[in-house]
Amino acid sequence: MLIMNKTLFLTICIISNLNSIVADNLIFPNKVIPSKLQVEYQKMETIGFIHFTVNTFTDREWGYGNEDPKIFNPKKLDAKQWARIAKDGGLKELILTTKHHDGFCLWPSKYTEHSIKFCPYKNGNGDIVREFVDACREYDLKIGFYLSPWDRNHKKYGTRDYVEYYKNQLEELLSLYGRIDEIWFDGANGGDGFYGGANETREIYSKTYYDWDSIFKLVKKLQPEIMIFSDAGPDVHWIGNENGHAGETFWSTMDTDKVIIGNSDADYLNRGDKDGKNWVVGQCDVSIRPGWFYHSKEDNFVKTPQELIDTYYKSVGRNAVLLLNLPPNNDGLICDKDAKNLLKFKSIIDETFENNLALEADISATNYRENGFDIRNILNDNLDSFWAVGDEVKSAELVFDFDQEVEFDRILLQEPIHLGQRISKFCVEKQKNLKWERVYEGTTIGYKRLVRIPLVKASKIKISFLEANNTIAISKIGIFKASKDENI
């Protein structure tokens, strides 16, 4: 999204009724800014994945495409259990693998026999996509679909006919189930497979084979407010690994024309591009287990709450969204241990960030802008309300003065990202013997930066913003002491 001139920006401000921007003292946005939907998407912070298909019953991660649908028979499947656990664990959205690389469809698609229509589940009358959608709506969760572009079952994969088949599947999914909030396009494309009995290797060139532009247009036509995920966005992009970790320095901007879906530069995706011309939210995907699908041999390797906390700091805490996979077992249920660890993770996060010590401090700034940009704006939860400095100011400091020593080891910083991402260097200092001692040096902030440091005792804390590409503006700062259960 581009703001071309002052007149256009002022018009947008009036229409949007942004109370943080005063007409006679405008904070001008960066050239590249997020859409309103992208801002709302990032505010979700943590979302969930449900990997479930024939692989759950063959004990494989990637199905070959020759699986007999009759093996798929989850006898206790309860999509409401999935949604309830996700909701209780703080997740705001669930994404379902409606079709993985094996080509098996969890809805009764009229375009293939390799689907739930020909399995024992509900005597061939089931529709797990429908059950999933209904459960998410009951628990007020946003809804996402994963539809694998690669299909190791379909005999026409690698030809233009398959691309039309794929579009037909998209139209089914995005027309039959009401509003869908995200569509997830995997980068795995081509290789060996069943392919209708051919049992051969088929290679494709992802950039041109699928005609992604036409697919994206179809998706937006069917669901105008949907978020599209792929290596190249256009709305949300893969972070470049499956560890759930964004780069220490991470920009929400990138050049999407530098990215090929299925064959992209992982380092570029992991750090973003400070000079990028497209705003694409970073998403960090990771499974709560070693694999993406359920395997009983991994029951003792479920990520602990503390491991999930570490992932949270390296994803949400680095300006990205965390996508956590919770794979149902052969019965169609999320295992108790997975659910228990997710709930404990949420309780630790809630406890850590419950008491903002910054609320108890006197706050001063080396500079601030008049007319609505007061320092105290950094203490509320409204991203549209923020502290800012004069346009001519290239660096600035905030000092938090407490009546007595406080203990802290976590710091939260947020920018008003509807105006773009600005800060590229900052530091945190404590005062000791009337001298400032640096305790942390950081780079990007973006939507949210969470800083972890060893426990500090201090009566004064200074946060300095040293480099920025536009007027320095901060929407929130929090100072916290971590829950004793973090153990990181």
Side-chain angles (χ1 to χ4, degrees), residues 388-406:
V389 300
D391 290 334
E392 74 286 353
V393 177
K394 304 304 179 184
S395 63
E397 300 172 353
L398 289 174
V399 174
F400 297 80
D401 189 351
F402 299 87
D403 288 337
Q404 58 188 359
E405 277 193 344
V406 295

Side-chain angles (χ1 to χ4, degrees), residues 76-90:
K76 299 179 182 178
L77 188 144
D78 184 0
K80 290 184 180 180
Q81 186 237 21
W82 306 348
R84 182 174 64 253
I85 289 170
K87 184 74 173 181
D88 291 346

Side-chain angles (χ1 to χ4, degrees), residues 145 170-176 178 180 183 219 222-223 226:
F145 291 157
L170 276 172
E171 189 156 3
E172 281 185 320
L173 288 170
L174 299 181
S175 300
L176 299 176
I180 306 302
I183 185 74
V219 167
L222 296 170
Q223 296 278 347
I226 200 170

Side-chain angles (χ1 to χ4, degrees), residues 325-355:
N325 180 56
L326 302 166
N329 60 22
N330 301 57
D331 285 330
L333 299 172
I334 295 172
C335 292
D336 290 343
K337 187 172 184 179
D338 304 47
K340 179 181 178 181
N341 288 6
L342 175 64
L343 295 179
K344 182 61 177 177
F345 155 77
K346 181 181 184 297
S347 72
I348 293 172
I349 291 292
D350 290 346
E351 183 178 348
T352 292
F353 296 102
E354 181 178 19
N355 181 28

Side-chain angles (χ1 to χ4, degrees), residues 258-387:
K258 293 181 179 179
V259 179
I260 299 174
I261 299 173
N263 186 25
S264 46
D265 181 345
D267 288 338
Y268 185 74
L269 296 176
N270 194 244
R271 65 178 182 271
D273 185 343
K274 64 182 177 65
D275 299 316
K277 62 178 181 289
N278 307 106
W279 188 286
V280 192
V281 177
Q283 184 192 91
C284 301
D285 59 326
V286 66
S287 183
I288 199 168
R289 291 166 168 260
W292 289 94
F293 290 92
Y294 174 80
H295 310 287
S296 60
K297 62 180 177 289
E298 296 178 353
D299 285 346
N300 293 324
F301 299 96
V302 178
K303 286 183 175 61
T304 65
Q306 290 73 29
E307 289 174 317
L308 295 175
I309 290 288
D310 184 58
T311 303
Y312 177 82
Y313 280 108
K314 293 175 179 176
S315 54
V316 176
R318 293 179 179 175
N319 183 39
V321 171
L322 172 60
L323 172 59
L324 179 65
N325 180 56
L326 302 166
N329 60 22
N330 301 57
D331 285 330
L333 299 172
I334 295 172
C335 292
D336 290 343
K337 187 172 184 179
D338 304 47
K340 179 181 178 181
N341 288 6
L342 175 64
L343 295 179
K344 182 61 177 177
F345 155 77
K346 181 181 184 297
S347 72
I348 293 172
I349 291 292
D350 290 346
E351 183 178 348
T352 292
F353 296 102
E354 181 178 19
N355 181 28
N356 185 1
L357 299 174
L359 296 171
E360 304 169 11
D362 290 328
I363 309 173
S364 59
T366 52
N367 188 276
Y368 68 93
R369 204 179 190 94
E370 300 284 352
N371 299 331
F373 303 98
D374 187 78
I375 307 171
R376 305 297 293 186
N377 289 344
I378 65 173
L379 299 178
N380 63 48
D381 293 323
N382 181 5
L383 286 178
D384 293 340
S385 170
F386 52 90
W387 161 73

Side-chain angles (χ1 to χ4, degrees), residues 182-234:
E182 182 168 355
I183 185 74
W184 215 93
F185 293 120
D186 199 310
N189 290 286
D192 63 339
F194 179 66
Y195 303 125
N199 291 307
E200 62 187 18
T201 297
R202 297 182 182 178
E203 302 295 344
I204 58 94
Y205 183 46
S206 174
K207 184 175 183 179
T208 56
Y209 174 58
Y210 296 105
D211 188 9
W212 286 113
D213 286 345
S214 69
I215 286 177
F216 293 165
K217 287 178 183 177
L218 173 64
V219 167
K220 292 290 188 178
K221 177 183 178 181
L222 296 170
Q223 296 278 347
E225 295 191 325
I226 200 170
M227 302 296 285
I228 299 176
F229 168 97
S230 77
D231 291 359

Side-chain angles (χ1 to χ4, degrees), residues 56-89:
T56 309
F57 298 87
T58 60
D59 204 25
R60 300 180 67 174
E61 279 292 287
W62 284 10
Y64 191 66
N66 61 349
E67 294 79 15
D68 187 340
K70 291 184 175 62
I71 67 172
F72 186 82
N73 190 21
K75 296 181 179 180
K76 299 179 182 178
L77 188 144
D78 184 0
K80 290 184 180 180
Q81 186 237 21
W82 306 348
R84 182 174 64 253
I85 289 170
K87 184 74 173 181
D88 291 346

